[in-house]
Amino acid sequence: MSGLSAAVKTSTRVISIDALRGLVMFTMIFVNDLAGAPHNLVPGWMRHFHGASGMTFVDLVFPAFLFIVGMSIPFALGARLRQGAALWQIIGHILIRTVSLLAIGIMMVNDEAPGRDMSGLAPEVWATLMYAAAILAFCSIAPRTAGAAAPRWRGVTWMLRGVGLLGMLTLAFMFRGDKGQRIITLSPLFIHTDWYGILGLIAWSYLVGALVYLMFRANSTALLGCVVLLLCLYPADRTGLFEGVWLSRYLGIGEMLGAHPSITVAGVLLASVLARGEDAGLGARVRFGSLFVFGFAAAALLLNGLYGINKNQATTSWCLWACAITGALWLGFHLVCDGGPPPKFARIIALAGANVLLAYLLSEMLPSTLDVLHLGDWYGHLAEGSLFGAIARSAGCGVAILAAATGLNRLGFRLTL
């Protein structure tokens, strides 16, 4: 049995996937931070593309996460299936994870609302407390040296989760928007959101991708068919097929249940060759990955004229290019990491990618925390002198956030959804 096959049988971690996730997480922190630099300093290719059709590497960060979510599904859910978990338990886990991501995403979206009133709390204080509460609500503490004290740490975990959930609920009820709107009301029951946020969009894609995996497992033909069907929802939506459908009042069916999940299911498709373990050697995996990349790139070229390439509109060609490019990046990491002992740089990146939700929340928490500490102006000035200064600040931010998250992970503090 190859090293990768053994890893698949005994763990849900695959070094190449973790390394790819770590690279994408660093890129996300970098570009988000760089977006705060003066626009006259930052060239167009380092920002989101603005125009009718086109994209930069910045427009690939979000779909890359959707793709990696899909690649992780066969290992995470496959491990539960091998352990004998009942189907209803797995579906329950999927639904809880989806709702949890939606909850954090909705809180984050409302934090961006203009003219918000926090019932006595400054907006930056509310935001800092909200992110801290979200981190505690889904934390898990399990030090490697816990030993006989493991039950005590589980008790601490549940206590912190309770504090975090109570904090999120309290902050949600405290919130008032510029027109008096609330995040949540009980009578009538209503949850306010203009959109679901990045984590919310990931939640819908995860839900679709996980359910597709449960239906078809590692059946590559069926998974490819699902990718095509999901992509078809986008033009169907654009041509008015779902007008009047009750679900369309809450979700953009073509985007949130079609285009975005198609990227996630494409990730499931590519990971299916890994999930087969010893039935697919290195040569077979490379051939499958290469055909995947060239096939999706060819489809992107052929369909470019349909709606063009546009991230905000989640066009078909953009989805296909995202799958092809992310698949190519994974294939490179696979050749370096999974055929034998991975090099040191890959191990470092993989460590950073083992639990990126914590890093993401810390990065989003940083601006409000700096404002609370009256360091926001100082931090902003670091990126105002030159492009080099802006890049250095953003790269340093990415390294520092990932190092902090990795350090917490190694101490046994993780986020578990």
Side-chain angles (χ1 to χ4, degrees), residues 72-266:
S72 302
I73 285 173
F75 302 101
L77 298 187
R80 291 176 178 269
L81 290 168
R82 288 192 300 272
Q83 292 166 5
L87 184 60
W88 68 267
Q89 292 175 313
I90 296 176
I91 292 176
H93 166 76
I94 292 170
L95 293 177
I96 291 173
R97 193 176 197 190
T98 300
V99 171
S100 299
L101 289 170
L102 283 170
I104 302 174
I106 290 171
M107 294 283 282
M108 292 175 63
V109 166
N110 281 279
D111 175 50
E112 299 168 359
R116 56 203 189 281
D117 174 23
M118 309 308 182
S119 299
L121 285 180
E124 61 271 19
V125 175
W126 186 92
T128 301
L129 292 175
M130 182 270 290
Y131 284 110
I135 290 172
L136 292 180
F138 302 102
C139 74
S140 175
I141 304 178
R144 297 180 181 180
T145 58
R152 185 182 306 167
W153 284 112
R154 282 195 293 270
V156 172
T157 293
W158 284 109
M159 181 186 70
L160 292 178
R161 287 182 179 181
V163 170
L165 287 172
L166 181 60
M168 288 183 69
L169 283 172
T170 301
L171 292 166
F173 280 111
M174 290 175 63
F175 179 91
R176 301 290 186 277
D178 58 341
K179 298 179 181 179
Q181 70 268 24
R182 304 184 180 189
I183 293 180
I184 184 172
T185 60
L186 298 179
S187 182
L189 181 61
F190 177 75
I191 298 176
H192 175 267
T193 177
D194 292 323
W195 65 302
Y196 294 95
I198 294 298
L199 290 182
L201 297 181
I202 292 175
W204 292 119
S205 295
Y206 168 75
L207 175 64
V208 174
L211 293 178
V212 167
Y213 172 75
L214 287 181
M215 286 188 286
F216 299 110
R217 309 294 167 87
N219 187 323
S220 300
T221 303
L223 293 173
L224 180 59
C226 288
V227 173
V228 174
L229 286 173
L230 290 169
L231 285 171
C232 288
L233 290 181
Y234 182 81
D237 195 7
R238 290 284 293 263
T239 53
L241 180 64
F242 303 119
E243 287 183 8
V245 176
W246 70 269
L247 190 59
S248 65
R249 291 181 292 175
Y250 307 99
L251 293 170
I253 295 177
E255 297 177 7
M256 296 184 192
L257 296 183
H260 293 158
S262 74
I263 300 172
T264 299
V265 176

Side-chain angles (χ1 to χ4, degrees), residues 37 224 244 270 272 282 293 351 405:
L224 180 59
L270 185 56
S272 65
L282 179 62
V293 171
L351 280 175

Side-chain angles (χ1 to χ4, degrees), residues 179-407:
K179 298 179 181 179
Q181 70 268 24
R182 304 184 180 189
I183 293 180
I184 184 172
T185 60
L186 298 179
S187 182
L189 181 61
F190 177 75
I191 298 176
H192 175 267
T193 177
D194 292 323
W195 65 302
Y196 294 95
I198 294 298
L199 290 182
L201 297 181
I202 292 175
W204 292 119
S205 295
Y206 168 75
L207 175 64
V208 174
L211 293 178
V212 167
Y213 172 75
L214 287 181
M215 286 188 286
F216 299 110
R217 309 294 167 87
N219 187 323
S220 300
T221 303
L223 293 173
L224 180 59
C226 288
V227 173
V228 174
L229 286 173
L230 290 169
L231 285 171
C232 288
L233 290 181
Y234 182 81
D237 195 7
R238 290 284 293 263
T239 53
L241 180 64
F242 303 119
E243 287 183 8
V245 176
W246 70 269
L247 190 59
S248 65
R249 291 181 292 175
Y250 307 99
L251 293 170
I253 295 177
E255 297 177 7
M256 296 184 192
L257 296 183
H260 293 158
S262 74
I263 300 172
T264 299
V265 176
V268 177
L269 169 62
L270 185 56
S272 65
V273 69
L274 292 175
R276 288 197 289 267
E278 68 269 18
D279 296 331
L282 179 62
R285 295 193 294 269
V286 172
R287 285 193 298 273
F288 186 91
S290 300
L291 289 172
F292 178 98
V293 171
F294 287 117
F296 275 79
L301 285 170
L302 292 171
L303 295 176
N304 182 61
L306 187 58
Y307 298 108
I309 304 171
N310 192 296
K311 170 187 176 289
N312 290 336
Q313 297 180 19
T315 60
T316 306
S317 186
W318 171 76
C319 294
L320 292 166
W321 276 121
C323 294
I325 295 171
T326 310
L329 288 173
W330 169 79
L331 189 59
F333 276 116
H334 178 59
L335 289 171
V336 171
C337 299
D338 295 333
K344 185 175 182 179
F345 83 90
R347 293 198 302 271
I348 294 173
I349 298 175
L351 280 175
N355 194 231
V356 296
L357 180 58
L358 176 58
Y360 177 69
L361 292 180
L362 288 174
S363 69
E364 292 294 309
M365 182 181 178
L366 180 63
S368 60
T369 303
L370 289 174
D371 287 339
V372 169
L373 298 174
H374 304 290
L375 295 174
D377 291 340
W378 166 80
Y379 190 75
H381 289 326
L382 294 178
E384 293 177 354
S386 64
L387 177 60
F388 175 80
I391 291 175
R393 185 195 74 172
S394 299
C397 177
V399 171
I401 292 291
L402 289 176
T406 301

